[in-house]
Amino acid sequence: MSTVRLTTAQALVRFLAAQYTERDGERHRLIAATWGIFGHGNVAGIGQALVEHPGLMPFHQGRNEQATVHAAVGYARQSRRLSAHAVTTSIGPGATNLVTGAALATINHLPVLLLPGDTFATRPADPVLQQLQLPYAGDVSVNDCLRPVSVYFDRVGRPEALVPAALEAVRVLADPAATGAVTLALPQDVQAEAYDWPEEFFAERTWRVRRPRPDRDELDAAVRAVRAAERPLVVAGGGVKYSGAEEALRTFAERTGLPVATTQAGKGVLPYDHPCDVGGVGHTGTETAAALARTADLVVGVGTRYTDFTTASGTLFPEGVRFLNLNVTGFDAHKQAALPLVADAREGLTALTEALGGHRRDTARWAASKRDWQRRVDAAYAAPDEDARPTQTQVLGALDTLVDASDILINAAGSLPGDLHGLWRPRSADQYHVEYGYSCMGYEIPAAIGVLLAAPGRPVWALVGDGTYLMNPTEIVTAVQERLPLRLVVLQNHGYASIGGLSEAVGAERYGTDYRYRDADGGFTGPPLPVDLGANAASLGMRVLRPRTVRDLREALKEARAATVPTCVYVETETPDTVSGPPPAPAWWDVPVAETATREAAVEAREEYDRHVTARRRHL
């Protein structure tokens, strides 16, 4: 067996460059690039390896380790999980900064390879810089924080241990039922240690992304359930997109006439104007979908995890409803005590459509409700006074008139996900990119960079509130460095408007949610703080447009869309009390309220909570 002598880090880079995925005859590089911030735990290992093999592995320089994971996740989502990025960090705080991004990736079932440096395997000194010392365990490092948020974790304590660890890591990354954050912790001395590697380790490998077909008995049970249902409803999630099953879903809906509601991850799988599309479902969805959900006798879940927003914390679907879940993982297929149909979404929908034959229902029963909802969307988007300062929904309305199927909108947290889920009219299957599995503030800007790398030439918009912007603006510098035409829309309402509204609803009286000065009693009073986020974005290298009216906003968005450099549209919206003008939430969301309190707001909030919580059900 011929061998080649390389360091462990050099071997890893060379190995990763030779890994590919293949699905439906299309081949993709599995690890298309590596993000990183170098420190003493990886600069002499992974850093040197990237220099040693120029051109083998593209590299992107990040500014915050959490943000680099978000960028990698954005890339993976836009690539439908067929291609991913790696992220390398130093030991210590660089590694622990990965935890939030890793949790986001794993919760959303999106592949990312994490390569944090680790303390010395040989322990030449103990402790070394940034080493966690525990009296009860000598083999624990800060990287062990990544274990519960990773779908696969290994610490490569010897060079030869990389062979099975690396093979297992890429196997998991390419598995649609198991993918998420994969962590290979790399002790800094092992990274630099040389070893005689078998040449076969570096041969090109193609990992075929499986499309498991449904079990015949499960399919037969599914067909019987659909045929017996009088008021069925489809709930489509992100699994439809990752499978590339949009056309299969459209065919299923058109042949059966079943209404299709969508989760945050699934929105866009049907065009908003398709007769079977009834919009978002759950707390942030549409009245049309909510009404159908409340009367459904069968819910057909396709690629969804049934989060509390989708089910309205267990209050949306009626007593006695049955569930049929098509999912690539048995874990999610069995949720809600469902009939499981464990299969790839495209294969499962195709098989179910064929097995049902001519079984069809009338789509007219929700058409009037859908038209009424679109009138309410128009009203929320409307700006009667073009010379007034815009509201948040008027900003979305201005975007709505501008975009086409090529645009991609990215958001993750605050009040925008609710507005977007209920109001936005997606023109293409991948236009709507809202990360709501973890709803992570700070996701939008780096994720937009990842999407721009995966979809060059398409207009990509990162929509952020001031709270999100303040948490993670650093990757603006990366967009400037990479010459990526990021379009950033910053909505300045001087506070955490979304959580402020929730605070008011649960009796916490908006305490600590506005950006105001502290008074002597510890309260928050006075005018908003003199914070200029537009100036901050400009200082990081962005071109900044400052529309003051709805009329100005339309022109600024048009200018930003045509820009070839990173451009920020900085919008002062209406005050937090009027920041959002959509219809009220059509379904409940469970946020526990103080059971005992002396303040009237909390007492009233608890009374309201008790009224809602009695409707919660467990579907067994």
Side-chain angles (χ1 to χ4, degrees):
M1 179 184 295
S2 59
T3 61
V4 57
R5 192 163 182 81
L6 299 169
T7 70
T8 304
Q10 292 165 1
L12 178 58
V13 169
R14 186 169 164 183
F15 169 83
L16 292 176
Q19 308 305 304
Y20 292 83
T21 63
E22 183 178 311
R23 188 177 73 179
D24 303 333
E26 293 185 7
R27 197 163 181 253
H28 305 265
R29 182 161 165 171
L30 176 57
I31 303 298
T34 294
W35 288 85
I37 299 175
F38 292 116
H40 67 89
N42 64 342
V43 66
I46 296 292
Q48 192 282 329
L50 292 168
V51 174
E52 185 79 10
H53 302 289
L56 196 62
M57 176 66 69
F59 177 75
H60 301 293
Q61 182 182 11
R63 270 74 199 173
N64 173 282
E65 291 86 359
Q66 180 188 133
T68 60
V69 185
H70 293 336
V73 168
Y75 176 89
R77 176 168 173 168
Q78 186 63 31
S79 302
R80 299 195 181 208
R81 304 194 300 201
L82 298 173
S83 185
H85 283 170
V87 176
T88 178
T89 73
S90 183
I91 64 175
T96 52
N97 280 350
L98 295 174
V99 174
T100 296
L104 183 148
T106 294
I107 286 170
N108 287 283
H109 301 308
L110 290 166
V112 60
L113 177 60
L114 307 180
L115 304 173
D118 212 327
T119 51
F120 286 80
T122 54
R123 303 187 190 178
D126 193 26
V128 295
L129 180 63
Q130 297 179 329
Q131 178 178 336
L132 175 70
Q133 272 195 301
L134 297 175
Y136 60 85
D139 63 344
V140 173
S141 80
V142 296
N143 284 331
D144 288 274
C145 294
L146 289 161
R147 288 182 184 270
V149 293
S150 299
V151 292
Y152 178 77
F153 179 99
D154 201 354
R155 179 174 284 111
V156 183
R158 287 291 305 150
E160 57 267 36
L162 178 66
V163 174
L167 287 167
E168 186 66 8
V170 295
R171 181 197 68 79
V172 173
L173 287 168
D175 186 339
T179 197
V182 169
T183 300
L184 293 181
L186 303 171
Q188 57 179 318
D189 52 344
V190 176
Q191 288 184 51
E193 186 175 347
Y195 182 72
D196 293 322
W197 304 89
E199 284 279 8
E200 290 82 355
F201 184 53
F202 307 115
E204 283 193 4
R205 282 181 172 81
T206 299
W207 302 83
R208 285 180 171 78
V209 179
R210 299 191 303 276
R211 285 195 180 278
R213 292 179 172 86
D215 173 82
R216 173 51 57 184
D217 290 340
E218 288 187 354
L219 181 60
D220 289 344
V223 169
R224 289 194 297 271
V226 174
R227 285 179 173 163
E230 296 182 0
R231 299 175 303 281
L233 171 69
V234 176
V235 173
V240 176
K241 293 185 179 182
Y242 302 140
S243 171
E246 293 91 346
E247 191 58 37
L249 177 64
R250 180 199 287 257
T251 300
F252 174 77
E254 290 174 352
R255 291 190 183 177
T256 62
L258 268 63
V260 177
T262 52
T263 68
Q264 285 280 9
K267 190 175 173 72
V269 292
L270 288 182
Y272 76 94
D273 55 355
H274 189 281
C276 291
D277 179 76
V278 295
V281 66
H283 176 65
T284 53
T286 69
E287 284 285 1
T288 305
L292 290 167
R294 290 190 181 100
T295 59
D297 59 352
L298 177 70
V299 176
V300 182
V302 184
T304 179
R305 298 186 300 124
Y306 289 110
T307 67
D308 60 340
F309 262 58
T310 298
T311 67
S313 300
T315 65
L316 183 58
F317 302 110
E319 196 77 42
V321 67
R322 298 185 69 194
F323 289 82
L324 164 64
N325 292 340
L326 166 57
N327 205 290
V328 75
T329 72
F331 175 74
D332 287 318
H334 283 84
K335 286 181 176 176
Q336 311 292 346
L339 286 171
L341 189 60
V342 181
D344 169 78
R346 193 189 74 178
E347 295 300 314
L349 284 167
T350 300
L352 190 56
T353 303
E354 292 174 354
L356 283 167
H359 184 82
R360 179 172 173 78
R361 296 187 176 277
D362 185 10
T363 62
R365 64 189 176 97
W366 61 80
S369 174
K370 184 175 175 179
R371 287 193 298 271
D372 179 66
W373 184 262
Q374 290 305 319
R375 284 192 290 268
R376 298 173 76 177
V377 173
D378 290 338
Y381 281 175
D385 185 355
E386 290 278 316
D387 295 317
R389 190 165 68 175
T391 65
Q392 179 166 291
T393 51
Q394 288 168 355
V395 173
L396 298 183
L399 265 176
D400 179 74
T401 63
L402 179 67
V403 302
D404 60 30
S406 65
D407 292 74
I408 301 171
L409 273 63
I410 299 172
N411 184 243
S415 54
L416 273 168
D419 290 357
L420 287 163
H421 194 212
L423 304 179
W424 188 256
R425 298 158 168 161
R427 273 70 165 184
S428 62
D430 65 351
Q431 180 174 89
Y432 188 88
H433 183 133
V434 173
E435 187 287 302
Y436 217 56
Y438 207 40
S439 186
C440 185
M441 297 177 75
Y443 172 82
E444 294 90 341
I445 295 173
I449 292 172
V451 172
L452 282 162
L453 293 171
R458 294 182 62 177
V460 177
W461 301 84
L463 310 181
V464 304
D466 49 280
T468 285
Y469 181 92
L470 284 167
M471 288 195 177
N472 200 2
T474 55
E475 298 313 305
I476 286 174
V477 178
T478 303
V480 172
Q481 182 181 42
E482 301 265 356
R483 297 184 174 89
L484 296 172
L486 168 68
R487 291 137 183 107
L488 173 62
V489 179
V490 179
L491 304 178
Q492 171 63 282
N493 52 51
H494 301 284
Y496 300 117
S498 173
I499 207 68
L502 179 62
S503 171
E504 189 171 50
V506 299
E509 303 176 42
R510 291 187 178 268
Y511 181 79
T513 62
D514 293 346
Y515 298 154
R516 301 179 187 276
Y517 291 101
R518 296 297 297 268
D519 59 25
D521 297 326
F524 301 84
T525 60
L529 299 175
V531 175
D532 188 341
L533 302 182
N536 179 265
S539 75
L540 297 177
M542 291 200 94
R543 180 186 177 206
V544 178
L545 308 175
R546 294 174 173 268
R548 299 191 178 278
T549 67
V550 174
R551 193 186 312 278
D552 296 340
L553 173 65
R554 297 187 194 282
E555 291 303 314
L557 292 173
K558 183 178 179 180
E559 189 173 343
R561 191 174 187 273
T564 58
V565 298
T567 302
C568 171
V569 179
Y570 182 62
V571 189
E572 288 267 0
T573 61
E574 284 294 341
T575 62
D577 290 335
T578 58
V579 67
S580 182
W588 187 59
W589 179 42
D590 189 349
V591 178
V593 177
E595 191 170 0
T596 181
T598 58
R599 297 179 69 87
E600 183 178 353
V603 172
E604 292 178 353
R606 181 65 195 197
E607 292 172 353
E608 181 70 12
Y609 178 83
D610 288 339
R611 281 194 293 272
H612 282 288
V613 79
T614 57
R616 186 163 50 202
R617 307 174 188 88
R618 292 193 184 277
H619 300 288
L620 301 172

